[in-house]
């Protein structure tokens, strides 16, 4: 179930958020369903949310095969088909319903557009980027230098428009469409946010600032100090770069939702609803289901369809909560 906290205070001098909150009653976990079949050998690599469906790209570790499918927001499977052999790195859907699948190989990127029945409409070669998402009829890609390329599927050859150095830190940002021509890009390590207009190239920069974000950064800093000093003494140590935003999604009103890491399973996971540029309008606490020996699992995708929040786990299980 969920517990929601509505933010009552405003922004202070310097843009620092001084939160005050009032806990509302818990919202009930409504139902769950799966993206195709749930298997320990399958990974839901990419999930794209439309206004009424979830499109997914799954990878089977044993057979080294990939498949694309679609499930309605009601949990009913619509279609599923297997992709040709290859390494697939992205998935999106155009407003017309055609499916975009990204294939990496031979030093570049292949952009494949399919009908819903699996028929290939076209295939275009392009330079690879670090992260991709579909925004309306455009494919938005982030380059290593922080520049953004926008390819319009209504233009011949998908010739890109390039906007220079949009992201201060381009290392694997989390991306989600906000509208048919706007995208949010979130730095998973610093909680910095960039809103980009894909038509004009104009951007707005912000950063999430809350006690929970500060706590996450402090936690990772402590873990890293313990690792470097060799004094962790059996405590869990998380080496590598800190990941404080695990997943992002957006609703039809261009509200951005950010899943904060790490989380305490006893208290539940935390999602922040953000209105631009970086105002935290609401905190949503989620009680996540566990599987086997009480171990908590962490979703890696999230989306909002209508008044429902959907959290997707790596094995393809979807948990649905009500935001109404």
């Amino acid at each position: 179930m969920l517990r929601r906290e509505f933010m009552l205070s405003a922004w202070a001098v310097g843009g620092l958020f001084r939160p005050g909150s009032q806990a509302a009653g818990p919202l009930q976990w409504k139902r769950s369903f799966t993206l195709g079949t749930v298997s320990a050998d399958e990974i839901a690599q990419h999930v794209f949310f439309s206004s009424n469906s979830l499109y997914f790209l799954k990878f089977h570790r044993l057979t080294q095969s990939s498949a694309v499918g679609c499930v309605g927001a009601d949990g009913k499977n619509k279609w599923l088909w297997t992709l040709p052999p290859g390494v697939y790195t992205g998935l999106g859907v155009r407003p017309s319903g055609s499916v975009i699948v990204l294939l990496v190989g031979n030093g570049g990127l292949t952009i494949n557009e399919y009908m819903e029945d699996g028929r290939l409409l076209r295939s275009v070669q392009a330079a690879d980027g670090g992260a991709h998402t579909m925004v309306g009829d455009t494919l938005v890609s982030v380059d290593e230098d922080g520049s953004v390329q926008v390819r319009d599927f209504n233009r011949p050859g998908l010739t890109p428009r390039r906007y220079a150095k949009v992201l201060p830190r381009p290392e694997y940002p989390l991306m989600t469409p906000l509208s048919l021509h706007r995208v949010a890009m979130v730095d998973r390590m610093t909680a910095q946010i960039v809103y980009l207009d894909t038509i004009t190239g104009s951007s707005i920069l912000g950063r999430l600032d809350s006690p929970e974000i500060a706590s996450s950064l402090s936690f990772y800093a402590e873990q890293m100090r313990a690792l470097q000093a060799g004094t962790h003494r059996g405590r869990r140590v998380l080496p590598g770069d800190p990941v404080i935003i695990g997943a992002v999604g957006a609703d039809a009103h261009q509200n951005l939702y950010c899943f904060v890491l790490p989380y305490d399973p006893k208290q539940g996971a935390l999602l922040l609803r953000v209105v631009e540029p970086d105002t935290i309008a609401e905190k949503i606490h989620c009680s996540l289901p566990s599987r086997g020996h009480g171990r908590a699992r962490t979703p890696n995708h999230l989306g909002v369809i209508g008044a429902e929040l959907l959290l997707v786990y790596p094995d393809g299980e979807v948990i649905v909560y009500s935001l109404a």
Side-chain angles (χ1 to χ4, degrees):
M1 55 186 170
L2 295 166
R3 186 175 75 256
R4 304 171 73 177
E5 297 175 1
F6 292 82
M7 309 312 299
L8 303 179
S9 62
W11 284 80
V13 177
L16 294 179
F17 186 67
R18 309 300 187 192
S21 64
Q22 178 177 345
L27 300 179
Q28 299 300 315
W29 170 29
K30 296 177 62 176
R31 65 184 188 280
S32 66
F33 58 88
T34 62
L35 302 177
T37 59
V38 170
S39 168
D41 298 319
E42 286 186 328
I43 302 173
Q45 289 181 301
H46 299 277
V47 180
F48 187 90
F49 296 84
S50 72
S51 60
N52 58 11
S53 300
L54 293 80
Y55 297 80
F56 59 92
L57 172 63
K58 272 194 168 185
F59 175 71
H60 197 288
R61 287 177 287 200
L62 294 182
T63 63
Q64 297 289 294
S65 60
S66 298
V68 173
C70 180
V71 175
D74 57 2
K76 295 181 180 179
N77 288 292
K78 295 184 177 182
W79 48 263
L80 177 71
W81 34 267
T82 302
L83 289 165
V87 179
Y88 295 92
T89 61
L91 173 74
V93 180
R94 296 182 60 185
S96 63
S98 62
V99 180
I100 309 302
V101 182
L102 306 181
L103 171 68
V104 171
N106 299 322
L109 179 73
T110 303
I111 304 170
N112 293 322
E113 183 175 6
Y114 293 91
M115 296 285 288
E116 287 190 346
D117 60 6
R119 287 180 293 168
L120 182 64
L121 289 175
R122 60 173 158 173
S123 183
V124 178
Q125 301 296 315
D128 190 14
H132 310 273
T133 193
M134 283 296 299
V135 182
D137 272 325
T138 60
L139 176 66
V140 178
S141 306
V142 178
D143 293 335
E144 293 180 353
D145 64 354
S147 300
V148 173
Q149 295 190 46
V150 178
R151 294 180 173 87
D152 191 336
F153 278 77
N154 294 314
R155 298 179 64 184
L158 298 183
T159 303
R161 298 190 302 273
R162 192 170 188 269
Y163 303 125
K165 296 183 179 180
V166 174
L167 279 84
R169 284 172 41 94
E171 296 88 355
Y172 303 105
L174 297 170
M175 306 169 67
T176 186
L178 296 171
S179 69
L180 292 178
H181 59 86
R182 298 189 72 238
V183 60
M185 296 173 279
V186 181
D187 188 321
R188 67 181 71 194
M189 300 175 191
T190 66
Q192 192 170 55
I193 305 173
V194 175
Y195 297 89
L196 175 69
D197 187 304
T198 60
I199 296 177
T200 66
S202 62
S203 61
I204 301 173
L205 179 65
R207 185 190 300 273
L208 295 179
D209 188 358
S210 75
E212 292 82 9
I213 295 293
S215 177
S216 293
L217 290 171
S218 176
F219 168 80
Y220 281 111
E222 179 185 353
Q223 294 285 298
M224 187 56 64
R225 285 193 297 268
L227 178 65
Q228 293 172 346
T231 59
H232 53 277
R233 297 179 181 178
R235 290 179 297 168
R236 186 183 180 194
V237 175
L238 304 175
D241 293 322
V243 176
I244 60 176
I245 303 298
V248 298
D251 63 22
H253 304 289
Q254 301 190 36
N255 291 297
L256 177 67
Y257 293 76
C258 300
F259 189 99
V260 179
L261 294 175
Y263 71 92
D264 184 345
K266 295 181 181 179
Q267 297 181 358
L270 172 67
L271 281 80
L272 304 177
R273 180 171 67 85
V274 183
V275 295
E276 66 176 85
D278 45 14
T279 303
I280 300 173
E282 184 180 2
K283 296 181 180 181
I284 306 173
H285 288 271
C286 310
S287 177
L288 301 179
S290 60
R291 175 182 295 175
H293 307 291
R295 292 177 299 177
R297 299 179 300 145
T298 302
N300 58 345
H301 303 283
L302 75 87
V304 179
I305 298 179
E308 293 184 332
L309 168 70
L310 299 92
L311 302 181
V312 183
Y313 288 91
D315 63 0
E317 183 179 7
V318 183
I319 308 298
V320 183
Y321 304 89
S322 175
L323 295 177

